[in-house]
Amino acid sequence: MMQPPIFDPYCGPAPLPTTLWTAWNFDPVLIAGILALGVALWHRADPATAGGHQRRVFSLASCVVLFLAFVSPLCALASALFSARVFHHILLVSCAAPLIALALPRSGRWAGNVPLGFAFLVHTALLWVWHAPGPYAFALRTSGNYWIMELTLLASAVWLWQGLLASDATGRKAGGVIAAALGSIVQMGMLGALLTFARTPLYAAHQTTTQAFGLMPIEDQQLAGVLMWVPAALPYLILALWRLASLFPEATPTTSLRHPQS
């Protein structure tokens, strides 16, 4: 007889609603890692250079988002609800990643000369792979697997956002940025639609953990799909509209989302 999969998620077992707000994650290694990232970004943002103060603000904001995603009870809630996991991933790829990309100096970007289209394909592939039932179950079996999922999603998203926010994306390059941003919206919408309209629950790790929060597994999955479909795409839509407006300088507001210059 086949044994059911054993899940040991990094964020711990699924909490109950009555214990959720006490389920903070004070892993010292995690906290040290987030602080180290913040310090590194802070020191790379020289306030004596143009855009340095802005980059320092972005570095602090990215750390706040990462603390919300990994230290707050959201981490534990994601062990119970797939919709919370999707929201957690939205924070990583649609909030923390662009903030980190904006905090990095333009010179020496690790994106290098790799085409934006390639960064888009890599990130899209990782997003779809890690939200497929099999790889998702794999990620929740050990803490090591979990961090492979989280770090590859975050790193690939930072890579993509560095290309999307490149300050030299004008003319033909701006068209590529708009295409990549709209492509991100489309692929997230397709993934969200698959989750929303699936007829059966797909994720074994959440078959028995959602009911305490008043949701059946299929309802939790549908909520996850809606989150992936709409809120996750908003930053990409805003960016696409801003880049489109930048093609018409007379209509472009003075406030810019452009990556701060080094």
Side-chain angles (χ1 to χ4, degrees):
M1 182 177 180
M2 182 178 297
Q3 294 294 323
I6 298 175
F7 298 106
D8 184 24
Y10 165 78
C11 295
L16 296 173
T18 54
T19 62
L20 175 62
W21 297 110
T22 64
W24 291 78
N25 177 23
F26 294 116
D27 179 357
V29 176
L30 167 70
I31 294 174
I34 295 175
L35 292 177
L37 174 64
V39 169
L41 293 174
W42 179 274
H43 281 289
R44 292 195 68 181
D46 185 356
T49 61
H53 288 291
Q54 286 180 325
R55 288 199 294 273
R56 287 193 164 183
V57 171
F58 292 133
S59 67
L60 289 175
S62 67
C63 288
V64 170
V65 175
L66 291 175
F67 268 96
L68 176 60
F70 291 108
V71 179
S72 81
L74 176 62
C75 187
L77 184 61
S79 295
L81 300 178
F82 182 65
S83 54
R85 181 80 63 196
V86 166
F87 180 66
H88 170 97
H89 286 167
I90 290 171
L91 288 179
L92 292 187
V93 305
S94 297
C95 297
L99 289 171
I100 293 172
L102 286 166
L104 289 169
R106 182 169 176 265
S107 59
R109 293 198 308 262
W110 69 281
N113 295 319
V114 176
L116 176 59
F118 184 67
F120 165 76
L121 291 175
V122 170
H123 177 64
T124 297
L126 287 168
L127 192 70
W128 279 71
V129 165
W130 287 122
H131 291 90
Y136 181 77
F138 168 82
L140 297 189
R141 286 185 181 135
T142 70
S143 293
N145 295 353
Y146 172 86
W147 282 110
I148 292 173
M149 174 177 70
E150 300 297 278
L151 292 177
T152 54
L153 283 174
L154 180 60
S156 63
V158 171
W159 186 18
L160 173 61
W161 276 102
Q162 282 191 299
L164 293 174
L165 293 166
S167 59
D168 58 351
T170 57
R172 185 175 298 178
K173 288 185 178 180
V177 169
I178 293 170
L182 293 178
S184 297
I185 295 171
V186 170
Q187 64 93 4
M188 285 183 168
M190 292 174 62
L191 179 56
L194 287 175
L195 295 174
T196 302
F197 296 112
R199 296 184 178 182
T200 59
L202 301 175
Y203 301 94
H206 301 289
Q207 294 289 341
T208 61
T209 60
T210 66
Q211 292 85 346
F213 292 86
L215 292 171
M216 297 302 293
I218 190 64
E219 295 170 332
D220 174 47
Q221 186 173 291
Q222 290 167 346
L223 176 58
V226 172
L227 290 173
M228 183 68 74
W229 204 340
V230 182
L234 288 179
Y236 301 91
L237 177 60
I238 292 170
L239 176 71
L241 292 175
W242 172 73
R243 285 297 191 194
L244 183 62
S246 71
L247 299 178
F248 306 93
E250 67 279 1
T252 305
T254 56
T255 301
S256 175
L257 294 175
R258 183 173 297 174
H259 196 298
Q261 298 288 333
S262 301

